[in-house]
Amino acid sequence: MFQPIIISQGLSGWQFLKSTYDRQFEAFSQSTELKRDTDYFAEKIGSIETAEELVSDRRLLTVALGAFGLEDDINNRFFIQKMLEEGTTADDALANRFTDTRYRNLSEAFGFGPGELRGGILPSFANEIVDLYEAASFEIATGEQDESMRIALYAERTLPDVVSTDSSATAKWFSIMGQPPLRSLFETALGLPSEFGQVDIDQQVEVFEERANRILGVSDPSDFADPEVMDTLVTNYLARSQLNTFGAGASSGAIALALLGG
């Protein structure tokens, strides 16, 4: 399988990756192994009528979960089946209980829930899922060489959709915080330690807003749909990520205490 080419860490490596992305992605998407999985999904998904049938076919489930960045749940078949069967129309449906919106997006897309339209019967469905899977797979392959590049690619692809909903600014921050890759990006870009996640959830939102406004010049997550604001966010993330690899910075515990004290 074609492996993405990363020439260096940090911003210079990111600029090279972005300038060659289209060519690299095209080569990657034509890889034999990837084509075998996506062709199988496109051929079979239209005949899948229940969530149980989907989770019983590991090859189909691999593509389905991978398309939404949930590949780590491949062995949690009972959980995935239950989530798909409950759908998303009921407020207390399993998928709606997670702050991580990827589960809701997965369940909603496949439409196995009560009163929902099954995605597999739509002509464009297979191609849409395959496109998502290919993009996510390229990001994973990139991450095998540089995890910060993977997270940056994921954010550029998914964050605009996360922040373009009709929900409140606070709800959008919760959605960002609920997705581990996006949370990691914001914590790093805003100079927050990983232990910050142990702070009261409402306080976390306040700190995210304050830090984003001070460092990036915006506090409403909706602004991250703007390509220029997104570029500033990713640039800060990659610069700080590179500094972190050099061991720069004070004790993360001390930083967390300073944040709460200030």
Side-chain angles (χ1 to χ4, degrees):
M1 178 175 287
F2 175 86
Q3 293 299 312
I5 300 171
I6 308 295
I7 61 169
S8 64
Q9 292 182 320
L11 294 176
S12 60
W14 174 249
Q15 290 166 356
F16 173 81
L17 177 60
K18 291 291 290 181
S19 67
T20 60
Y21 179 87
D22 290 342
R23 295 194 300 275
Q24 292 205 50
F25 181 75
E26 177 64 23
F28 179 83
S29 63
Q30 296 303 313
S31 300
T32 301
E33 182 179 347
L34 189 70
K35 284 283 292 178
R36 186 162 53 241
D37 289 340
T38 55
D39 286 349
Y40 179 82
F41 182 88
E43 178 185 353
K44 298 290 186 180
I45 193 59
S47 64
I48 299 299
E49 298 182 353
T50 67
E52 183 179 9
E53 290 177 347
L54 177 64
V55 302
S56 296
D57 188 321
R58 191 176 181 86
R59 291 181 67 186
L60 288 179
L61 188 60
T62 295
V63 175
L65 293 177
F68 294 89
L70 298 171
E71 59 279 350
D72 290 342
D73 283 312
I74 187 65
N75 293 319
N76 298 330
R77 287 174 47 189
F78 176 79
F79 163 70
I80 295 298
Q81 180 177 333
K82 179 175 176 59
M83 183 186 62
L84 291 172
E85 288 175 341
E86 290 190 8
T88 60
T89 54
D91 290 340
D92 62 348
L94 181 59
N96 291 332
R97 300 179 204 170
F98 290 89
T99 54
D100 189 337
T101 56
R102 294 177 297 178
Y103 291 104
R104 183 166 66 250
N105 293 340
L106 170 70
S107 184
E108 187 174 44
F110 279 85
F112 290 120
E116 295 180 345
L117 177 65
R118 182 163 58 86
I121 67 175
L122 301 175
S124 61
F125 180 75
N127 288 337
E128 292 172 356
I129 299 300
V130 165
D131 287 347
L132 290 173
Y133 179 68
E134 289 176 341
S137 297
F138 183 84
E139 291 160 12
I140 290 173
T142 300
E144 291 173 354
Q145 301 180 62
D146 190 319
E147 181 64 12
S148 65
M149 299 288 182
R150 173 189 179 179
I151 291 176
L153 286 174
Y154 178 85
E156 283 203 335
R157 179 171 63 87
T158 65
L159 184 56
D161 288 336
V162 172
V163 302
S164 296
T165 63
D166 294 331
S167 56
S168 67
T170 297
K172 290 172 184 176
W173 277 119
F174 283 145
S175 294
I176 290 170
M177 293 155 59
Q179 287 201 34
L182 295 181
R183 183 185 184 92
S184 176
L185 179 134
F186 274 89
E187 286 183 343
T188 300
L190 301 180
L192 297 167
S194 58
E195 290 83 358
F196 177 64
Q198 300 171 18
V199 176
D200 175 79
I201 192 73
D202 292 323
Q203 285 184 276
Q204 290 184 45
V205 172
E206 292 176 4
V207 173
F208 271 122
E209 288 178 333
E210 186 276 328
R211 283 276 182 135
N213 187 53
R214 177 156 54 88
I215 295 173
L216 305 174
V218 299
S219 59
D220 188 332
S222 299
D223 291 325
F224 294 111
D226 183 321
E228 291 187 7
V229 179
M230 173 68 77
D231 184 63
T232 301
L233 171 65
V234 170
T235 297
N236 272 270
Y237 166 69
L238 292 170
R240 288 180 180 268
S241 292
Q242 190 169 19
L243 284 174
N244 290 343
T245 63
F246 297 149
S251 162
S252 60
I255 295 174
L257 289 173
L259 283 169
L260 290 178

